[in-house]
Amino acid sequence: MTAERRIAHLDMDAFFASVELLRYPQLKGLPVVIGGGRRKVDELLREGHADRPPGDIPVSDFPLLRDYVGRGVITTATYPARQFGVGSAMGMMKAARLCPQAIVLPVDFEEVRRFSRLFKATIAEIAPRVEDRGVDEVYIDFTEVPGGQREGGRVLARLIQRAIFERTGLTCSIGVAPNKLIAKMASEFSKPNGISIVYQGDVQTRIWPLPARKINGIGPKAEAKLARLHLHTIGDIAAQQREWLIDNFGKSYGTWMHEAAWGRDDRPVVTESEPVSMSRETTFDRDLHAVRDRAELAAIFTQLCVKVAGDLQRKGYVGKTIGIKLRYEDFRIATRDHTIEHFTADAKTIRRIAGQCLKRVELQRPLRLLGVRVGKLARAGADAAADAGGAAPRDGTLDLF
DNA sequence: TCTGGGGTCCTAGGACCC
DNA sequence: TCTGGGGTCCTAGGACCC
């Protein structure tokens, strides 16, 4: 007698914005967007308020989206702002046209990470099998948790929701379903601060009517191609023969799509994973030319290498594939990478190899973005750590574990 | 009027090896 | 005159996600 799998997907409501509202409760109920960063909204806000409790800053002193100039995008919008059509990943300038009166605040990564750790720790105390899906999302395996099956998981979901609110003052939405795929969709059913319970038998009535794009894994490209084939809802996909989907989308993607449309997904909740790569990238305030802006570009390039080396060292990793990424003014992306003999986390080594990569790519056109990446990571052991400092490994073997 | 930064995974060709 | 087949690694690009 094995228990039926019950998997929860938990999504913090407007996470970045909600974190700011804890600090500035006077902004509750107002359209607020978090993002940008290219313009120092922070400093604007601080003018004349440096020694004032954040909660006492008058609403009229907060910077408005209409005054924002720069290349940033929206990270999160509060629900009042969403009513104007403003949403995540939207360019700030476009958002400013839709809702100029919205208040704009920069992302406070420290604070967001602090609350991220807090809410995840709260969950883990109640249900230990938690899979990290970024700062504001997790999957939770309810199956073996005592009481995890009651009311299809609603009782446990409610308990977690309350615990998170008590500990952080933040709300979340939870979907509980037989698998991750359906749970992810279910968590969107009753936002914010909602709980949705979905069973396998509900797929036809609750999943099939949804747009294909709601499936986690169907993005803008696949959606457009589906539309060209006159498939719009998940039910439309489910109605197709598997072979037909394979013919149109390839063996792997077609097979997966068919399974997904039928609500089938046996991926486990993965509680631990190792990073594959670490990177740093930056979009310039204005497009740069490799020749004309050589010095500026070189300084930024070195900075990126230093940052990524710092990330590796701080987290205790070394890597052996070093690469660069460019974005040209027309948004086309070029990448180059090179795998070296020995693992490293050394900024100078990374800079040297990345510099070689840079020579292999077209540099005539104006650049919008530059990035540096280190992949093929391994944990920095004793020898690897020495290597990371710039010393050659004794005999090419590293104590990686 | 555009479109950040940090990731993962997949594909596909060529090198190289057995 | 005909030239296997599998496996792994490297590299570049692209889709997708948060």
Side-chain angles (χ1 to χ4, degrees):
Chain A
M1 218 10 232
T2 63
E4 196 194 326
R5 229 158 70 99
R6 292 308 286 171
I7 308 295
H9 178 260
L10 181 151
D11 198 18
M12 298 300 288
D13 298 322
F15 189 49
F16 290 65
S18 303
V19 165
E20 292 305 320
L21 289 189
L22 292 175
R23 185 179 0 210
Y24 305 117
Q26 64 270 47
L27 302 183
K28 242 175 244 169
L30 298 174
V32 177
V33 302
I34 310 297
R38 305 232 57 84
R39 167 127 175 221
K40 299 195 179 62
V41 182
D42 204 24
E43 285 170 20
L44 258 173
L45 181 61
R46 288 287 150 211
E47 270 171 41
H49 294 299
D51 45 5
R52 201 162 184 167
D56 288 353
I57 300 174
V59 170
S60 58
D61 281 10
F62 282 84
L64 299 181
L65 200 44
R66 73 158 63 88
D67 300 320
Y68 186 90
V69 183
R71 286 177 145 172
V73 299
I74 306 274
T75 300
T76 316
T78 58
Y79 287 89
R82 290 181 199 191
Q83 305 213 297
F84 292 88
V86 171
S88 302
M90 178 181 287
M92 295 285 275
M93 301 311 269
K94 181 177 177 186
R97 278 192 307 283
L98 291 170
C99 189
Q101 73 276 27
I103 285 163
V104 57
L105 294 171
V107 179
D108 183 341
F109 288 104
E110 291 262 325
E111 194 72 343
V112 162
R113 269 196 296 268
R114 191 168 73 79
F115 277 98
S116 182
R117 283 193 297 269
L118 202 52
F119 93 78
K120 286 170 189 171
T122 306
I123 296 166
E125 285 169 17
I126 297 167
R129 296 194 57 79
V130 180
E131 176 176 336
D132 233 296
R133 296 304 300 186
V135 283
D136 66 341
E137 271 184 39
V138 292
Y139 288 104
I140 315 161
D141 195 337
F142 278 14
T143 313
E144 306 290 333
V145 179
Q149 305 278 342
R150 289 177 59 197
E151 296 177 34
R154 186 181 298 276
V155 173
L156 187 55
R158 222 157 22 210
L159 181 70
I160 289 171
Q161 230 179 17
R162 259 202 300 267
I164 290 175
F165 185 75
E166 278 163 22
R167 185 86 80 88
T168 64
L170 299 169
T171 65
C172 61
S173 298
I174 303 176
V176 196
N179 59 51
K180 297 207 286 192
L181 186 92
I182 302 177
K184 168 81 178 163
M185 293 188 267
S187 68
E188 270 198 59
F189 287 171
S190 53
K191 272 174 181 271
N193 202 18
I195 294 172
S196 286
I197 307 299
V198 176
Y199 299 95
Q200 196 68 48
D202 298 331
V203 167
Q204 299 192 34
T205 55
R206 303 185 71 184
I207 303 298
W208 283 2
L210 301 175
R213 184 72 169 77
K214 292 289 176 187
I215 293 178
N216 189 254
I218 293 184
K221 300 287 181 181
E223 181 192 33
K225 184 165 176 187
L226 285 164
R228 286 198 297 276
L229 296 163
H230 306 105
L231 306 184
H232 302 283
T233 67
I234 297 174
D236 290 342
I237 301 173
Q240 305 309 310
Q241 295 289 330
R242 180 191 309 261
E243 287 312 314
W244 185 88
L245 289 167
I246 289 171
D247 288 344
N248 283 281
F249 291 91
K251 174 114 175 107
S252 160
Y253 199 55
T255 303
W256 169 81
M257 205 183 269
H258 189 261
E259 289 298 290
W262 281 87
R264 295 193 280 256
D265 170 28
D266 55 12
R267 291 171 301 162
V269 170
V270 177
T271 56
E272 294 195 49
S273 65
E274 285 291 309
V276 172
S277 70
M278 290 186 199
S279 67
R280 288 287 190 142
E281 65 185 51
T282 187
T283 296
F284 315 128
D285 292 327
R286 60 180 176 89
D287 293 347
L288 298 180
H289 295 74
V291 179
R292 203 175 345 118
D293 304 304
R294 194 174 197 287
E296 193 174 348
L297 219 38
I300 292 168
F301 189 35
T302 301
Q303 261 186 50
L304 290 169
C305 295
V306 168
K307 277 186 186 161
V308 80
D311 294 340
L312 287 163
Q313 290 165 24
R314 198 157 17 82
K315 294 174 183 165
Y317 288 91
V318 287
K320 61 190 309 194
T321 299
I322 291 157
I324 56 138
K325 169 178 163 183
L326 301 180
R327 174 137 55 206
Y328 297 104
E329 60 181 343
D330 64 357
F331 260 72
R332 291 181 55 88
I333 291 169
T335 63
R336 294 291 180 272
D337 58 44
H338 179 70
T339 301
I340 55 175
E341 282 288 294
H342 306 295
F343 287 94
T344 188
D346 173 53
K348 285 209 173 71
T349 306
I350 294 169
R351 169 69 222 239
R352 180 167 50 82
I353 305 301
Q356 291 167 10
C357 290
L358 209 48
K359 289 187 179 133
R360 293 193 277 130
V361 74
E362 200 211 306
L363 288 173
Q364 331 308 322
R365 293 144 65 199
L367 303 172
R368 182 185 175 89
L369 168 148
L370 178 60
V372 175
R373 192 184 89 100
V374 178
K376 293 248 175 341
L377 300 186
R379 277 226 126 89
D383 287 356
D387 194 28
R394 282 191 289 275
D395 57 1
T397 60
L398 295 175
D399 175 22
L400 300 175
F401 307 102

